[in-house]
Amino acid sequence: MILFRTPFLVAFLIVLHLTSCKKLDSYSERMNQFKMDELHHRPLFHFTPEKNWMNDPNGMFFYKGVYHLYFQHNPDANVWGPMHWGHATSKDLKHWEEHEIALFPDELGTIFSGSAVVDHKNTSKLGTLENPPIVAIYTNHNSQKAKKGNAIDFQNQSIAYSTDEGYSWTKYERNPVLKNPGIIDFRDPKVFWHEGSQKWIMSLAAGQEIQYFESQNLLSWSYLSSFGQGIGNHDGVWECPDLFPLPVNGTQARKWVQLVSINPGGPNGGSATQYFIGDFDGTQFIVDSEFQKAMEKKHSYWIDFGKDNYAGVTFSNWSNKANGVLYLGWMSNWEYANKVPTTKWRSAMTLPRELELIQNHDGFRLHSKAPSDWDKYTVKTLEKETFSQQKETRLIEKGAIDLSTAQIKLNLVDLEEKKYTFILENSRGEKLSFGLNEKAHQFFIDRSQAGETSFSETFSRKPSIAPRTKKATSLQIQFILDKMSLEVFFDQGETVMTEIFFTHAPFETLSLKTDANTVKIENLLIRELGKK
Ligand code: FRU
């Protein structure tokens, strides 16, 4: 009997051994992936959730020296799912501390994107004048209703308030405060106090347009007007609007900026954020006529031409000397966000950027200013004043600097109508290249050889490009690397490109390649960055 059973026993033991080896294999694979995520991919200065999925930034406000960032979060998996609002704070926009989840789904639905304001005058009466409430306005998405197929009113706007500066929240008992009138996509309320007419204004994505609403107390809202039909890009759903005023070239004159995220339809595929310049009188947003003419001539107005900056909006209750605004986006793209090769966490935010409005011979342009306050985080600096080189120049030699987190600035002068390519390279032969094709008046990023790309067909099918709008024979360029991200600010932020990548080792060298006769570089500054 025993003999008869032996082959079965042996086979059983072999199968058991193999499955446990497989388990061990996949366990060790997972551990390796975790290590890779933490070592090579988790950025130092960009916010990432400790665990699981994140998309849009939500409810950002600045209060009593603290920046609050809430975010679309699925705390139970590393893919999009039932949305909560995660929460993180920072005092310097470099270090972020994650807190308890701020808003959980409820009987009205999951918690989609929205904004938060400090109600200084206590118009909502949800706090006191001495301790003004923070009021969050968000979309309740009723997924059960949505799944039924014939329902269209499953997205409604609700509010929650905090009387402890944003750390804990109470949902308003008479939610929703703005009911869906029968529009499938009716979401992402962004609210601000309009000084001119002394009331709250909400801009809301409604199908393929933006609708504006007004309120005296944040609790009851009435419709004002709509914007968007026949204007701008309509190749996808309009999402995450933001409306704010900006001074023109630092003067007293000002214009209003309307941001609209769109997915798909971005200039390089998938998700991206377009902007419109115009005027807002407390009731209507009217696009500037010159701006509209330029748009009709197919000028592109995107806040970022890279593939990875989406759903960005501005902080409430923040101001600087220039009366600018502070903006931050989600550093991914719906084309592949759910598939990027990190496991423990998925997605990072962009670095915060101050936005400025410039008017030149070519009309209005929104400039994004890269964060410049890196002194405290600089581990090592390399500088070089002016030098000329031919064909291929090594700007950073192997071993000179750790390029995994770094800020690099330089000017290229006496440009010819040729191509200028910066190449970052590591010991594995992985390469990330980007630069200027002055002949075609285009900037570009090519991440097709920068490590893992196979998770998505569209991640690196072709290089991303952006038109160079500035006409000049010199180029100021600044870029920031942070493990998995490259943010390039061309022409003082007139054109920005943000892209993520997944290499298996840090970049070690930086070269500049050109087919111009000579290349002249001025004011090269390289800072290796680290946390102290
Ligand atoms: C934009 C978006 C929003 C929505 C949220 C859901 O990325 O689709 O319109 O509120 O994400 O997570």
Side-chain angles (χ1 to χ4, degrees), residues 208-227:
Q208 288 269 317
E209 59 179 26
I210 303 304
Q211 293 191 347
Y212 303 101
F213 296 83
E214 66 176 1
S215 173
Q216 289 299 338
N217 58 9
L218 294 163
L219 308 176
S220 74
W221 291 91
S222 358
Y223 172 81
L224 284 173
S225 62
S226 300
F227 159 76

Side-chain angles (χ1 to χ4, degrees), residues 55-56 72 80 83 112-113 187-188 239-240 310-311 334:
N55 55 295
D56 314 358
Q72 288 288 279
W80 190 86
M83 284 293 114
F112 270 20
S113 287
R187 58 176 181 267
D188 308 339
E239 301 183 317
C240 300
Y310 191 60
W334 282 117

Side-chain angles (χ1 to χ4, degrees), residues 50 74 110 145 175 195 321 334 429 443 451:
E50 174 56 27
N74 178 3
T110 57
K145 228 178 177 183
N175 277 336
E195 272 306 323
K321 277 198 210 111
W334 282 117
F443 298 112

Side-chain angles (χ1 to χ4, degrees), residues 53 55-58 72-73 80-81 83-84 110-114 139 141 155 185 187-189 205 237-241 261 263 271 310-311 330 334:
W53 170 267
N55 55 295
D56 314 358
N58 294 148
Q72 288 288 279
H73 188 36
W80 190 86
M83 284 293 114
H84 299 55
T110 57
I111 317 293
F112 270 20
S113 287
T139 302
H141 173 84
Q155 295 186 338
D185 296 299
R187 58 176 181 267
D188 308 339
V237 191
W238 280 30
E239 301 183 317
C240 300
S261 282
N263 176 55
S271 331
Y310 191 60
W330 172 47
W334 282 117

